[in-house]
Amino acid sequence: MSDQFNTIAGWTLAAGIVALGGTIVTGQLFMHHPVESGGYAVESADGGAEGGAAKEPPIAALLQTADAAKGAEVFKKCASCHTINSGGANGIGPNLWGVLGKKHGHMPGFAYSPGMLAKPGNWDFDGMNEWLKSPKKYVDGTKMSFAGLSKPEDRANIIAY
């Protein structure tokens, strides 16, 4: 056999030994061990660890300690679409003066969505709380694009305002 063949065979054998050794070493370094116990509970999008919504205090309890001045600050998010003065004009959204106790979709001259007009009942504290939490969940097909207020205290403050 020629020296050239022996050289090629030697390098091929050496490369195979390095590859095999590398496989054994990395296999030991990155060996999979069974998990002894689970990781941690993943909270749902609603905030509960068991997949349900986290319990919030009732709005009536929050209203007892609500701060109307803080509600005025929170309302700044709403002021681009709504007015709140008595007899105020509708904007992109309806005027909100004295809305509690009135029928859903009550403001004359405002083009409410069919879902809002079909919503039975009157605005009360619980309904207003749910609306401010998520308008799209409260009224299916609402035109209001606001995502809602996630903090119950903010909702109570704005209702008090």
Side-chain angles (χ1 to χ4, degrees):
M1 293 200 188
S2 72
D3 287 338
Q4 188 177 9
F5 177 77
N6 287 339
T7 304
I8 293 172
W11 280 109
T12 304
L13 183 60
I17 292 171
V18 169
L20 180 61
T23 303
I24 292 170
V25 170
T26 57
Q28 290 298 314
L29 285 175
F30 299 107
M31 184 182 298
H32 174 71
H33 300 286
V35 178
E36 294 176 9
S37 64
Y40 56 91
V42 177
E43 291 187 19
S44 72
D46 294 334
E50 266 76 53
K55 291 290 183 186
E56 289 183 356
I59 192 65
L62 292 172
L63 285 171
Q64 293 174 3
T65 58
D67 184 351
K70 289 180 182 175
E73 286 299 312
V74 176
F75 185 78
K76 289 179 181 179
K77 296 177 183 179
C78 312
S80 62
C81 298
H82 296 282
T83 59
I84 54 167
N85 49 346
S86 178
N90 294 327
I92 294 171
N95 178 281
L96 300 177
W97 175 263
V99 97
L100 286 169
K102 294 189 178 162
K103 182 183 176 311
H104 294 94
H106 70 282
M107 183 63 66
F110 185 78
Y112 290 100
S113 65
M116 180 62 82
L117 292 173
K119 183 79 174 172
N122 295 339
W123 286 109
D124 58 9
F125 292 120
D126 292 325
M128 186 62 70
N129 180 48
E130 292 302 314
W131 170 260
L132 290 171
K133 182 192 283 186
S134 176
K136 292 192 183 303
K137 284 184 182 176
Y138 187 73
V139 173
D140 189 35
T142 182
K143 291 192 263 181
M144 187 163 161
S145 62
F146 184 65
L149 298 171
S150 59
K151 295 181 184 174
E153 294 79 14
D154 284 349
R155 296 192 302 268
N157 291 337
I158 204 167
I159 291 170
Y161 174 67

